[in-house]
Amino acid sequence: MSKRAEQNKISSTTNGVSLEQNTIYDDSLLPAAEELSKLNELNSEIIPWVMKRTEIEQNARINFNKKRTALAFREINYSAFLSLFGLALCAIVFIGIFYLSYLLITGGNAAAGTLFGCLDIASIMMAVNKFNLRKKK
């Protein structure tokens, strides 16, 4: 019972050609009143049938939207979980590198420990900078 109207427009400008496409859907569940009256003239039992089919279609659309919304919420929760899990893993890696640096410095390898510590600090700074760049977009 959906009706579709399309409008295409091509225009030429100094920079090139632009194409504009508009599509309009009239997605009402019931046919127009004129159509219903014509159908009723053909068969008097058609109106209850159309009403029943409309109710079935409406329920199917509601269920579809509920499932789609549930899927979107699940995707958002999954994305948030992955972000937090990744953040926790990064923190564990950074703490592990700091601990390795501490062990190297206390074990007598000050140069290696200092190098690991500096690399860890530099990687933390790069991660924070990358996060800030993503946040600005």
Side-chain angles (χ1 to χ4, degrees):
M1 296 189 204
S2 172
K3 294 179 183 164
R4 179 175 152 182
E6 289 188 12
Q7 180 183 12
N8 298 323
K9 179 180 170 185
I10 299 175
S11 59
S12 172
T13 62
T14 57
N15 296 335
V17 177
S18 66
L19 173 65
E20 181 180 335
Q21 292 180 329
N22 293 326
T23 305
I24 300 169
Y25 290 98
D26 179 18
D27 200 18
S28 62
L29 294 174
L30 287 173
E34 299 85 30
E35 290 180 36
L36 281 175
S37 64
K38 289 178 186 176
L39 290 172
N40 194 27
E41 290 173 7
L42 292 175
N43 186 353
S44 61
E45 295 178 5
I46 196 107
I47 299 295
W49 182 84
V50 168
M51 296 299 286
K52 182 181 174 191
R53 298 305 300 168
T54 302
E55 184 180 347
I56 291 171
E57 175 70 20
Q58 182 64 30
N59 290 337
R61 288 182 184 191
I62 290 171
N63 289 336
F64 175 76
N65 286 334
K66 283 181 182 178
K67 287 177 185 177
R68 192 168 65 178
T69 304
L71 182 64
F73 281 130
R74 191 175 75 197
E75 182 65 29
I76 289 169
N77 290 337
Y78 182 69
S79 177
F81 170 75
L82 283 181
S83 296
L84 290 175
F85 186 70
L87 188 63
L89 283 179
C90 287
I92 289 170
V93 168
F94 289 140
I95 290 170
I97 292 174
F98 273 132
Y99 185 69
L100 178 63
S101 175
Y102 167 76
L103 289 178
L104 287 172
I105 290 173
T106 57
N109 294 327
T114 305
L115 180 66
F116 273 110
C118 290
L119 288 176
D120 197 27
I121 291 172
S123 63
I124 289 172
M125 289 172 54
M126 287 181 358
V128 168
N129 188 25
K130 186 175 182 179
F131 177 74
N132 284 337
L133 287 177
R134 267 197 235 157
K135 199 175 183 182
K136 289 179 184 176
K137 288 183 181 179

